[in-house]
Amino acid sequence: MISPRSRRPAAVLVVVGAAGLTAACAPTISVDVAPDATDPVCASVVLDTPDELLTFDRQATSSQATTAWGRSGAAITLRCGVEPPGPSAQCVGVENPDGSSVDWVATQGDAGWTFVTYGRDPAVEVQVPNGLDVGQPTAPLVDLSAAVQDTPATAGCS
């Protein structure tokens, strides 16, 4: 007869194995690499992003200095090392809970919103697709501000 104690290691292996299979099934979100993705600051930015953004879990991405939250076909994506934008009337400051702020150039397209940090090098881009119910399109920017503040500020919207 097999004692309950001797079954425990087998049960643990089954649970661990099932968890590994579930993780292996998670989709990889395709995100184009940015021109300056190799900038060392980009590694800090990506490492400092949250595991959960709004109600979406982080997903694996296909490129260096990128991350995503959501699901394939409808994910909020972040790319570090994009071309910094010039001055724009579409520049908005997003205030953080700690009172600091990050400036972004906002553009709305058919697929959703694109935000690129203004006055920071390297620049960070966040895309918020229409297919996600995020309420205010700038909502994800508040939760990403701590990571984005790893990039040095050289100018502001004002």
Side-chain angles (χ1 to χ4, degrees):
M1 174 172 212
I2 300 175
S3 73
R5 271 195 176 159
S6 64
R7 284 188 226 160
R8 190 170 297 145
V12 171
L13 287 175
V14 170
V15 170
V16 171
L21 288 175
T22 303
C25 294
T28 297
I29 308 294
S30 180
V31 181
D32 293 336
V33 67
D36 292 327
T38 59
D39 188 308
V41 174
C42 286
S44 294
V45 169
V46 171
L47 288 173
D48 286 347
T49 59
D51 290 334
E52 185 177 279
L53 183 62
L54 303 176
T55 60
F56 307 103
D57 291 330
R58 182 194 311 262
Q59 302 298 320
T61 56
S62 60
S63 301
Q64 178 179 351
T66 64
T67 193
W69 301 265
R71 63 186 185 282
S72 185
I76 298 168
T77 60
L78 177 144
R79 297 188 315 149
C80 184
V82 299
E83 185 71 29
S88 170
Q90 302 301 330
C91 195
V92 295
V94 175
E95 190 169 322
N96 306 318
D98 68 0
S100 63
S101 69
V102 175
D103 293 332
W104 301 83
V105 173
T107 54
Q108 184 178 20
D110 291 339
W113 286 87
T114 300
F115 301 94
V116 180
T117 54
Y118 176 73
R120 292 186 179 265
D121 189 21
V124 175
E125 173 192 86
V126 175
Q127 292 187 337
V128 182
N130 289 333
L132 293 177
D133 183 22
V134 297
Q136 182 70 355
T138 56
L141 304 180
V142 174
D143 291 341
L144 295 172
S145 65
V148 170
Q149 287 180 334
D150 289 342
T151 61
T154 59
C157 286
S158 308

